[in-house]
Amino acid sequence: MNEMVQNPSKAASVRATRQRAARDAAATPGADRVRVNDPDRTMANILQVATAEFADKGLAGARIDEIAALTSTSKRMIYYYFGSKEGLYVAVLEDAYRRIRRIESELHLEDLAPEQALRTLVGFTVDYQLANPDFIRLVMNENMHRGEFISQSTTIQELNIPVIHAVRNVYERGVASGVFRPDVDPVDLHMSISALCFFNVSNRHTFGAIFKRSLDSPAATAQRRESIIEMIVRFLRP
């Protein structure tokens, strides 16, 4: 994690995304009325822009003034909805975990044979984290805070219970059918899946630079995806 470096093109892309979100909000007919009469939409817009801001700059570097300007709202309104800068940061973390867990719940792993269910879950995790690098940056930032803020959120703890249940269900079905060995802890299995997929995003720029390999091409991405799936599946085989 210490070797992670900022990619200038990625930073520019993040800034452009925030600016587009701000322009879209400002250009929406009746936007001023929406901000008054549709608090859910206002909060969602704030969370979208704040996610990019915190992922790009961390808790210390992010500025409420910048988030307010990009959402065409005010600091006072942000504090009204979220209480404080730290409160907004926790809400961003909760929203990030809520999104990934919601999509995981739609995989219907219970309808698949154990090994196929495992392959589906691991493949989804690879794909989601590659497509959502802000999620990785948020987690990295929170680890720099030693989990101080995530530990304050009972919501995040509750959001992560279903994924452990899903992993346990797939694993136990696999053990019962003889395709998985019977001595693996489901939380440890979830950690192993997360670790491989996380490193795939968090360290790809530095790893690629050190070993002179392009890790962003479709071919390299597909090969790495298959390698991660195979490692997890073979780890569980009897």
Side-chain angles (χ1 to χ4, degrees):
M1 192 164 295
N2 290 336
E3 64 177 350
M4 183 65 180
V5 296
Q6 182 68 48
N7 185 311
S9 63
K10 287 289 184 181
S13 176
V14 168
R15 287 193 293 273
T17 298
R18 296 201 305 270
Q19 290 164 357
R20 281 198 300 271
R23 287 196 300 269
D24 290 345
T28 302
D32 291 337
R33 185 174 62 256
V34 165
R35 283 193 290 274
V36 174
N37 298 327
D38 193 346
D40 289 340
R41 184 171 175 180
T42 300
M43 291 172 69
N45 189 27
I46 293 170
L47 285 172
Q48 179 184 3
V49 172
T51 293
E53 184 75 5
F54 284 123
D56 190 33
K57 301 176 182 176
L59 175 59
R63 294 289 179 263
I64 294 295
D65 284 331
E66 177 80 359
I67 296 169
L70 289 168
T71 53
S72 299
T73 184
S74 65
K75 288 176 64 175
R76 185 172 66 176
M77 182 171 287
I78 291 174
Y79 289 139
Y80 173 78
Y81 285 131
F82 300 100
S84 64
K85 180 182 180 180
E86 290 76 13
L88 176 58
Y89 173 70
V90 171
V92 163
L93 290 172
E94 291 175 346
D95 190 57
Y97 276 98
R98 186 177 292 110
R99 286 198 303 272
I100 186 172
R101 300 310 177 215
R102 183 182 65 247
I103 301 173
E104 280 174 343
S105 70
E106 296 170 357
L107 296 176
H108 301 294
L109 301 176
E110 67 278 5
D111 296 333
L112 303 173
E115 183 172 317
Q116 185 56 47
L118 181 64
R119 289 179 178 275
T120 298
L121 177 61
V122 177
F124 161 77
T125 307
V126 173
D127 295 341
Y128 185 89
Q129 295 196 3
L130 278 172
N132 295 272
D134 276 359
F135 176 71
I136 302 301
R137 296 189 184 100
L138 286 170
V139 174
M140 293 177 70
N141 281 318
E142 180 56 14
N143 272 287
M144 292 177 68
H145 290 285
R146 302 180 184 274
E148 174 185 355
F149 296 96
I150 210 169
S151 64
Q152 298 173 17
S153 172
T154 57
T155 296
I156 292 177
Q157 296 171 37
E158 292 168 358
L159 284 169
N160 283 278
I161 292 174
V163 69
I164 298 301
H165 286 171
V167 170
R168 178 179 287 109
N169 180 266
V170 169
Y171 171 67
E172 290 179 349
R173 288 196 294 119
V175 171
S177 62
V179 297
F180 298 153
R181 59 190 176 93
D183 57 348
V184 176
D185 175 60
V187 175
D188 185 68
L189 175 58
H190 174 62
M191 183 187 300
S192 297
I193 295 170
S194 298
L196 286 169
C197 298
F198 191 96
F199 185 93
N200 196 40
V201 179
S202 67
N203 292 63
R204 60 180 169 175
H205 299 299
T206 50
F207 196 89
I210 291 169
F211 295 101
K212 309 304 180 187
R213 300 183 68 174
S214 174
L215 303 179
D216 289 329
S217 70
T221 298
Q223 182 180 29
R224 185 61 187 161
R225 182 184 193 274
E226 186 61 24
S227 292
I228 292 172
I229 293 172
E230 284 300 316
M231 277 188 275
I232 295 297
V233 170
R234 295 185 188 190
F235 168 69
L236 288 183
R237 282 179 179 159

